[in-house]
Amino acid sequence: MINVLLICSQGASTAIMCDRIKEAAKQNNVEMEVNAVAMAVSSDYIPKADVVLLGPQVRYLRSKVVAVAGEKPVDTIEMATYGMMDGKKVFDQIMGMLK
């Protein structure tokens, strides 16, 4: 099971992205748990994650997330990908981060 954490400013629109990523994972026979949290509480969830992704609206906080995440892979979802809610593209991004 791959645990993915998406960090955004409020957590609302990112919930839709979570569903799209889960759908892509299911289509690729990959067990994946995807959760979205607001930046304000992210440090409580980062230790449980295998991969951490930031929404484009909080990409400027990447260095803070990296400091908490340690060796865990951290990346930002591209603005166009996020805007289109392209779960397949983000799923591919996650799988690339785990290589």
Side-chain angles (χ1 to χ4, degrees), residues 11-24:
S13 61
T14 312
I16 297 167
M17 180 61 85
C18 286
D19 291 340
R20 302 272 173 94
I21 296 167
K22 289 177 190 176
E23 184 179 309

Side-chain angles (χ1 to χ4, degrees), residues 36-77:
V37 299
M39 182 64 194
V41 297
S42 63
S43 60
D44 295 336
Y45 295 88
I46 291 172
K48 301 171 195 158
D50 298 311
V51 173
V52 181
L53 286 169
L54 288 91
Q57 67 273 34
V58 293
R59 67 182 173 269
Y60 66 96
L61 296 169
R62 183 177 178 176
S63 61
K64 290 183 180 185
V65 173
V66 168
V68 175
E71 297 296 317
K72 295 175 192 240
V74 176
D75 205 355
T76 302
I77 300 171

